[in-house]
Structure formats: structure tokens, C-alpha cells
Amino acid sequence: MTYFRWAAARLALLGAALLVSATLAPSVSRVAAEGRTADRDTKRLTLEALFDPVQRVNFSGNLPRLVWLPDGKQYLSFEVNAQTRQYEVVRVEALTGKRTPFHDPARMQSALEAAGMAADDSRPAASLRGAVFDAAFRRVLLSADNDLYLYDFTTDRAQRLTTSPGEAEEEYDFSPDGRRISFVRGNDLYLLDMTATPPAERRLTQDGSTSVFNGILDWVYEEEVYGRGKRRGYWWNAAGTLLAYLRLDDTAVPVHVLTDDVPFRQRVERTHYPQAGDPNPLVSLHVATCEGETAEVSLQDDPPDDRIVTRVGWHPRQPSTLLFEVQNRRQTRLDLKRTTVLKLESMPPLPRPSAPERLLREESATAWVEVVELPTFLPDGSFLWQSDQTGFRHLYHHAADGKRLRAVTQGEWDVREVYGVANGQVYFAAAAHSPIANHLYRVRLDGTGLTRLSQTEGTHAADFNANCTAYFDVSSTATTPPQITLHQSDGKVVRVIADNAEARALAAEYGLARPDFQQVKTRDGFVMEAMLLRPPDFDPQKKYPVWCYAYSGPGAQSVVDRWGGQRMLWHQLLAQRGYLVWVCDNRSASGKGMRSMAPVYGRLGELELRDLEDGVAYLKTLPYVDGNRIGLWGWSYGGYMTAYALTHSTVFRCGIAGAPVTDWRNYDSIYTERYMKLPQDNPEGYERSSVVAAARQLHGPLLLVHGLMDDNVHPRNSVQLIDALHKADRPFEFLPYPQSRHGVVTPYRVKHLYGRMLAFIEKHL
């Protein structure tokens, strides 16, 4: 569930917003003439416009993906040509905007085919989508038919590097010096020595299997520790001479089985998945030389069954200094440590980590400690470290030995991302201006001169060049799709790179209404953030039904002044059909620091529901709200909250629970134990938080939705609730989706899902 945390929200804005999606949606000109209402100036949102595989409108637009080049003065733009509608890569001078083609795709395609790549693979490969560049952007790694290819832009020559089509090379990359290529095959870590002719392959680990992972993360470490989509479990030092890697042993971790029953021959999928209280993966940290010697890093203060290695990396200026963070299983402590790998050119090639490792920082809490990124090191060896010790995340300056020197930021707001340090200034993102809008800032290392760089309202995410002299700003609001602007380090706009004008015109053309952002006090005085979306023809003299949305998980905001994509458009459709749409963040989901999250420790569901009920109580004071017609929906944690609310409260008339956790004993160990402790340490808390245990108390119509191949919140959550509802003789509806994971993404299934949800709302609200 870490996907919904702030780091992922930032990626959703800066990453997903930049992905080119033009080939997946019809052109604006074709759909612009469709679906017009009687008022020719405004269109009405329809299920077809939002979700139909053929007719859907591309409301979010097509922004280029931008990548800074090493000199910090140029960047690559991966984009769709507005005239030809073809995908292309362009080199751009940042200040002037001068554009030149980066490469010749046709020549590259021919070279790849000459090296043995199939024609069906060479064309997408030559577009450079998914390509991995070396540090100088002169060579690129590509994968086709489970093998690796190298293309050199300086010579226009391609080379096939591997011939193992039965096993894919994963997480492949260049070493920082470009002399070697690293990858994982069959859960073992390999190197290719590019200085040899032909390149020499070396296997660094020998015991990779379906239960042992070397240099690549297993399911729970990817999902809950490093973040969904981040599978790499190895790290090069800056000199390209040493690799650190994790070894994860899942032998004792139970296996969960999922089945795909759509084909005539059933497809079975088995994944190691530790539920709360189960054995966790046994993790160890290792260092390898390029010559193939390996050694294990001592973690003697952390027993194998009571440790989680949450971050690993190398000191940027000391190639032999390895840094890592370790938590205990209960996640009440986080240690930042370093060790020195004693390896000189004149010595035998054996890395020997010093023992014991040195503790640089220790964080502890009575609830849980949030994982933070590795320190940002300064030229004098001192470093910046993020800490939640005041109840809010802030930056602190530490001496090289770990001693705290001073607070760099302070206040009742969170620092959310550090971009870099240059000329005595720290560049970062924070919620200082507004708890519902990420903004960009800089501050001096002594803590003075805090300056907000992003001046327009809405949410901002930055991508700085290497020396922090310029940055891209991806910004949006709740009703304006994202755009990209280029800025100097002081915030001054250099130029607009992509205004996304077509998408912004569509937002106006379809009458997307800006929500009313509000603040609502709970019964004990906490100020919750909320937003209310009204119908376009809103009449304050009428009574309206209210459709509420909640996610509610710790640290996962839903009330944000940011383009919300599909879910936001769905809520706009409901508003256009005469519903008030209400989103209210309970305190633990408010983004207002660790202080607001900690109270839910050991009792998920209880405080969140109380806060949501206080939001509904406020709604009922509004003269235009029909207090008897208030429904709730959510997905994942929000699905849990919906099912929990309908079994532990009577304030909601009906609800839709998508992919819900129905008992926290079903969910993975690392996420669940962070907030609920181990089951044996908190049996009453687990019982009180269970939806299954309260099934007989179901109040109002419930629609359960679950993907039958959900490898995150397993379908058994819904199955167990269904069984309990059967025993209690309670009515409900169930909507299963074959071949679907934690989200329903197949276009025809997405349209079906939202159509059934709309029918449910219209029937029961």
C-alpha cells in the first residue's frame, strides 16, 4: 500500500504525468465533435468519454518525458510529434529551446536487426522507450526477446550481449564508469565486462532461486520498503568498482497461490507473501568486486529475524564507504549506519567490511518510525538528514560523525523531498504554504532565507539538473491538467515547455468545476482538509444526495489541489448527474506530519471512522444536503474503510468497497505490523479492526469489487467477508474481475466497472 504514500503521489505527478499516452487515446479533433449536449458551449461527461476503449477522451493530455543531460544545459525530450503523431526523441538546449534530433531511428533499427534483433522488436527499441543510457548518453541498453542489446550512438553500431532467451535479464544497467554492465538473471547477479572482446560474463552469486533473491527485491520488499516499481536490490559505488546488494531468503515465507481461470488451461501463480505475524524474508547485505569476490556486511546488532534493511547506498565522495539503514521488525527504530570496505588496488580483490559498523543516527518512537532517504552529503563531509522527531518531517544538518549541528527547516509542516544542495542553498519540496499543495522551496544551510520558488497555486514537483542551476516544474490544479515549465534556480520562469493546451481546453469544454476546498473541525478540534464538488446547476434551495470518497490510510492524502485523473473525472461525472461529491481526509491521512498519524497506532479503522463521521456531521448541517442519502466508496485502504464503516457505523446509506482488506491478519507483515504491531502483541486491536468479525452488523447495501489476480490485497479478503455475510444472512453484491490485479486496468473491464458502480449509486442513493 505504499503506492499511495506521498513519494508515490510525487511520482504520479512528475513521472506518470510525463509519460506520453497519445497512442492510447483518440485524437482531440475526432472526439471533440462527439457527445455534445443541447448547450453547444458545454459538453457533458459520459461513461464513454471517460472509459470507453475507443471513444474515450484524453483529458490529461500528452506531456513529453524530459531527461537532463550531464552538462545540465541540455535535455532529452521523449515526445509525440504534433504533426506526424510519431514518437521521437529530441535534444533541446534548455535556455534557448533549440531542438535537434537525438538519433536516427531508422539507422538504429537497421543496426539492431543486423545484430540479430527481430524486426518486430527493433522498431519499438529504436524509439528508445524503456532504454537505459550510460552516464554520458553515448550508449544505450535495450531488451528484446529476453536478451540484452547494446547500441552505440557515436558509431551507429549494435551488439547482442546475451543469448539466453529462456531467462530474462532484469534490472540491467551500466556501471558509473561504463566499463561494465550489471543485471539479474534467475535471481542471481551478473556482470558483463565491456572491456573484453567479446564482453565477458561473470556470475557474482550462485544460489538464486524462486525463494532466494540476489540483487533483486521480493514482493514485500518492493511493495512496502522500496516502493512499487522499484525492484533493483543492488547499488554501484561512484567509481564503478564495487557493488552492494541485498540477499533476500524467502524460504520460510509462506506462498500464496493465485489462479487465472480465463484460459482453458488454468494458469497458476505462486508468490512468497508474509502475512502479519509470518516469518519475514531473511535479509543480508553483501559487497562484491568486479572480479567476482564477495563478502557479507556485518549486521551483528540486528538479528536476522528482527531486521529490515530499508535503504542502501554509497558515499558520493568516498567510494569505499557504504551507507545503509536498518529497522527492527516492529519498525519502532531506524538506524543509519556506515561501514568501510577495505579494498585497495595493491591488495587482493577481497572486500572486507570493517566491523563493527558505525552508527551515524538513530531514530526511535513509541509508535513507528517512517523510512527516510539516505543523507545528502556536502563537500565538507557533513550531511543533511530528514527526521520526524518533532512530529513533522524536517531537515537537520549533521557533522560527518553524525553529531547534530542545527535544524535547517522547522514549523508545523513536512519536508516532502530533497532535490539537492548548491551554493549553500538546499532545494526541496514541502507543504509549508498549504497542506493540500506541494510547493518548491530553497533555504540556506544555516536555516535562514526560506523562499518559496513556485508562485502559482496548485501542486508542484521538480526535476533539477545536476548542479541545481535549473529545474523543470510539473504543476497542476484540481481542474487544470499538468503543464511543464523551465525555471532558473531562483524560481524565475525561463519558458513554458509544454502547456498542455488541448487538455486544458477540454477541461473547460466539458465544464469541469473547481471543488470548494474547506476545513472541518473534528470533535476534539483537529482541523481536517476537505473538498466539496457541486453540480454545475447547483441550487442551494434543493436537497442533494452526497457521494463520499475516502482512502484514509496513514500519510495518504486524497484532498489535494492537483489534477486527479480518472478518479477526479469520475467524481465530476457524478456531480454533473446531480450528486454532491465529498472528500474529507481524516487526521492520519491529512499530510500534517507524524503527529497526526501516530494516534492510529494499534487500532486501524477506529479513529479514521470517527473523523469521517465528524465530516458527515458537518455535511448534515448544510441546508442543501439530504442527510439520509449519503454514500461512501474507496479502493484498497479506502475499500477497507468503506466496508469497516458499513459494519461499524450507520451514517452511510450504502457503499462500494474496492479491493478491501477485510481483516489485517490477511495483509502483508511489513505494512500491517508498522501500524498494528504483531498479531500476538495486539490481538484485541486486530479483532476490533476486522470487518469480517463485524459482518453481522452490516448496515445498508454494499457492493464488493475485487480483481481475482490481486497479488497485493488478495481476493481471499473479499471471500472471507462473503462467507461471513452468508453466515449472518446479510445481503450484498459482489463484482469480481478476472485477470485483474490490485486495480482494474483492462479498458473494457474499466468501463464495465464504472458502469456498474454508477448503476449501484443511482439505485441506492
Side-chain angles (χ1 to χ4, degrees):
M1 289 190 180
T2 52
Y3 176 75
F4 297 93
R5 306 294 295 277
W6 255 105
R10 188 259 178 180
L11 289 174
L13 181 64
L14 183 57
L18 296 180
L19 293 177
V20 177
S21 57
T23 58
L24 301 180
S27 67
V28 173
S29 60
R30 181 166 64 81
V31 297
E34 300 175 1
R36 195 175 292 278
T37 62
D39 180 358
R40 295 191 60 82
D41 294 326
T42 306
K43 296 178 183 178
R44 184 179 181 183
L45 293 170
T46 64
L47 289 174
E48 288 71 27
L50 295 185
F51 308 117
D52 187 86
V54 176
Q55 301 179 57
R56 65 183 177 189
V57 179
N58 184 10
F59 286 98
S60 294
N62 304 307
L63 292 182
R65 181 170 68 92
L66 307 178
V67 178
W68 284 105
L69 290 174
D71 63 4
K73 299 177 181 180
Q74 303 176 86
Y75 62 86
L76 296 185
S77 178
F78 298 75
E79 61 190 48
V80 173
N81 186 293
Q83 284 72 45
T84 67
R85 310 304 295 176
Q86 296 298 308
Y87 190 81
E88 61 186 22
V89 184
V90 181
R91 184 192 299 266
V92 185
E93 291 182 4
L95 292 181
T96 66
K98 181 181 178 181
R99 298 160 55 87
T100 55
F102 176 68
H103 75 309
D104 184 335
R107 183 178 296 177
M108 180 176 176
Q109 186 176 347
S110 297
L112 290 171
E113 291 175 13
M117 186 181 291
D120 289 343
D121 295 324
S122 63
R123 182 172 181 178
S127 73
L128 300 180
R129 282 191 255 201
V132 175
F133 293 87
D134 68 4
F137 283 78
R138 295 187 182 126
R139 296 175 299 166
V140 68
L141 282 172
L142 306 148
S143 178
D145 195 25
N146 287 342
D147 274 316
L148 287 181
Y149 291 78
L150 177 75
Y151 182 76
D152 190 323
F153 295 106
T154 63
T155 63
D156 288 318
R157 296 184 64 183
Q159 182 180 8
R160 184 171 185 165
L161 299 178
T162 63
T163 53
S164 56
E167 288 187 290
E169 286 76 32
E170 303 178 89
E171 298 302 326
Y172 45 88
D173 202 357
F174 292 93
S175 62
D177 61 4
R179 293 164 59 88
R180 292 170 178 86
I181 289 169
S182 50
F183 61 86
V184 176
R185 181 196 295 146
N187 289 337
D188 273 319
L189 187 59
Y190 288 77
L191 290 182
L192 278 173
D193 184 352
M194 301 305 295
T195 65
T197 305
E201 183 175 292
R202 185 186 300 277
R203 184 173 178 174
L204 297 181
T205 62
Q206 307 296 324
D207 60 348
S209 69
T210 57
S211 298
V212 175
F213 302 78
N214 291 295
I216 195 165
L217 303 180
D218 68 352
W219 186 91
V220 74
Y221 258 71
E222 177 193 353
E223 176 70 19
E224 305 298 3
V225 182
Y226 288 86
R228 193 179 305 174
K230 298 178 181 178
R231 297 199 64 211
R232 184 172 303 181
Y234 70 86
W235 299 266
W236 282 101
N237 70 348
T241 55
L242 297 169
L243 292 96
Y245 66 93
L246 292 181
R247 180 184 184 273
L248 294 162
D249 185 349
D250 282 27
T251 302
V253 177
V255 172
H256 186 75
V257 177
L258 293 169
T259 60
D260 178 3
D261 292 310
V262 171
F264 289 111
R265 296 290 184 184
Q266 184 185 60
R267 185 173 66 86
V268 178
E269 182 178 281
R270 295 176 173 85
T271 305
H272 289 279
Y273 185 102
Q275 293 173 223
D278 281 343
N280 266 351
L282 296 178
V283 60
S284 53
L285 178 59
H286 302 255
V287 177
T289 67
C290 296
E291 292 77 16
E293 298 292 332
T294 64
E296 184 173 346
V297 175
S298 169
L299 299 177
Q300 58 188 15
D301 295 333
D302 304 282
D305 61 350
D306 190 32
R307 68 184 179 217
I308 305 169
V309 180
T310 59
R311 292 294 182 269
V312 181
W314 295 89
H315 194 292
R317 297 175 184 86
Q318 300 172 12
S320 61
T321 299
L322 179 65
L323 300 146
F324 52 97
E325 296 175 18
V326 184
Q327 284 191 301
N328 60 329
R329 174 165 182 156
R330 287 165 175 77
Q331 299 168 69
T332 57
R333 191 192 80 248
L334 183 146
D335 294 338
L336 169 65
K337 299 183 177 184
R338 75 180 181 196
T339 189
T340 301
V341 179
L342 302 175
K343 199 276 185 183
L344 301 173
E345 292 300 325
S346 59
M347 296 174 60
L350 177 65
R352 296 195 296 275
S354 60
E357 65 274 12
R358 180 180 177 83
L359 179 66
L360 285 179
R361 292 301 306 167
E362 180 181 2
E363 303 282 335
S364 61
T366 54
W368 72 91
V369 178
E370 291 278 299
V371 175
V372 297
E373 297 304 318
L374 288 172
T376 300
F377 283 90
L378 307 178
D380 64 358
S382 64
F383 61 88
L384 298 177
W385 174 249
Q386 301 177 53
S387 173
D388 295 308
Q389 69 168 35
T390 65
F392 294 90
R393 180 162 297 184
H394 282 293
L395 287 173
Y396 298 88
H397 190 187
H398 293 263
D401 62 1
K403 180 182 178 181
R404 178 165 291 176
L405 301 176
R406 65 183 61 85
V408 179
T409 62
Q410 52 191 319
E412 294 193 348
W413 45 269
D414 279 342
V415 168
R416 289 176 170 164
E417 185 168 6
V418 178
Y419 297 121
V421 182
N423 300 318
Q425 300 269 10
V426 187
Y427 296 88
F428 63 98
H433 170 66
S434 167
I436 65 169
N438 210 49
H439 277 273
L440 312 177
Y441 298 84
R442 72 177 181 183
V443 67
R444 297 188 188 97
L445 285 169
D446 63 4
T448 64
L450 178 66
T451 303
R452 178 179 155 202
L453 302 178
S454 49
Q455 294 300 315
T456 59
E457 292 304 309
T459 296
H460 298 257
D463 182 9
F464 277 77
N465 62 1
N467 52 10
C468 291
T469 58
Y471 64 90
F472 306 126
D473 179 1
V474 183
S475 61
S476 69
T477 71
T479 51
T480 54
Q483 69 171 2
I484 308 176
T485 48
L486 176 67
H487 298 254
Q488 295 177 172
S489 61
D490 61 0
K492 181 180 178 181
V493 178
V494 177
R495 59 189 176 85
V496 176
I497 292 177
D499 60 9
N500 213 0
E502 289 185 345
R504 292 180 176 227
L506 282 171
E509 192 174 358
Y510 277 82
L512 301 190
R514 181 168 175 80
D516 178 16
F517 288 100
Q518 303 182 14
Q519 292 185 321
V520 179
K521 283 189 176 181
T522 64
R523 65 194 73 179
D524 60 356
F526 184 87
V527 178
M528 298 187 294
E529 304 297 324
M531 60 184 181
L532 180 66
L533 190 61
R534 297 180 175 88
D537 56 353
F538 175 72
D539 181 353
Q541 304 303 314
K542 292 176 61 177
K543 291 278 190 179
Y544 291 89
V546 184
W547 188 242
C548 305
Y549 170 79
Y551 181 76
S552 301
Q557 291 177 267
S558 297
V559 180
V560 186
D561 191 8
R562 177 182 68 224
W563 181 252
Q566 189 179 71
R567 187 178 69 218
M568 177 275 298
L569 292 164
W570 160 245
H571 288 161
Q572 292 275 351
L573 180 148
L574 292 176
Q576 290 184 6
R577 287 178 176 248
Y579 296 92
L580 293 171
V581 179
W582 173 254
V583 185
C584 181
D585 278 338
N586 47 287
R587 72 191 68 197
S588 58
S590 66
K592 296 180 179 180
M594 186 67 195
R595 182 187 300 178
S596 69
M597 291 191 286
V600 304
Y601 187 54
R603 53 185 185 133
L604 291 181
E606 296 178 46
L607 185 57
E608 298 98 310
L609 178 57
R610 194 181 79 183
D611 286 350
L612 294 182
E613 288 177 328
D614 288 351
V616 170
Y618 163 76
L619 282 175
K620 290 182 176 181
T621 67
L622 302 177
Y624 47 83
V625 167
D626 185 342
N628 295 316
R629 299 168 66 197
I630 299 177
L632 176 67
W633 88 288
W635 203 273
S636 193
Y637 201 107
Y640 164 69
M641 280 310 305
T642 300
Y644 184 86
L646 264 65
T647 53
H648 291 77
S649 173
T650 59
V651 303
F652 297 101
R653 181 169 179 170
C654 60
I656 300 175
V661 174
T662 59
D663 192 301
W664 287 104
R665 285 165 286 208
N666 284 329
Y667 199 56
D668 77 64
S669 57
I670 293 180
Y671 183 91
T672 305
E673 293 166 10
R674 181 184 303 144
Y675 308 118
M676 288 292 289
K677 312 176 188 178
L678 274 70
Q680 60 265 35
D681 296 338
N682 185 24
E684 297 84 4
Y686 277 83
E687 188 68 15
R688 287 196 307 269
S689 67
S690 174
V691 178
V692 173
R696 67 179 64 87
Q697 299 165 207
L698 178 65
H699 174 83
L702 171 66
L703 173 60
L704 276 174
V705 186
H706 222 121
L708 296 183
M709 292 289 287
D710 190 338
D711 59 348
N712 186 340
V713 180
H714 293 146
R716 66 175 164 208
N717 283 274
S718 286
V719 170
Q720 290 174 8
L721 179 56
I722 288 169
D723 182 59
L725 292 170
H726 287 166
K727 291 175 182 175
D729 196 22
R730 304 298 297 162
F732 66 95
E733 298 178 42
F734 180 49
L735 196 55
Y737 282 94
Q739 298 182 323
S740 295
R741 300 287 185 178
H742 195 45
V744 179
V745 297
T746 310
Y748 71 86
R749 292 187 177 114
V750 172
K751 182 183 178 184
H752 182 273
L753 167 62
Y754 281 95
R756 301 327 302 155
M757 288 171 59
L758 180 59
F760 179 88
I761 295 168
E762 291 177 335
K763 177 181 178 181
H764 295 292
L765 206 62

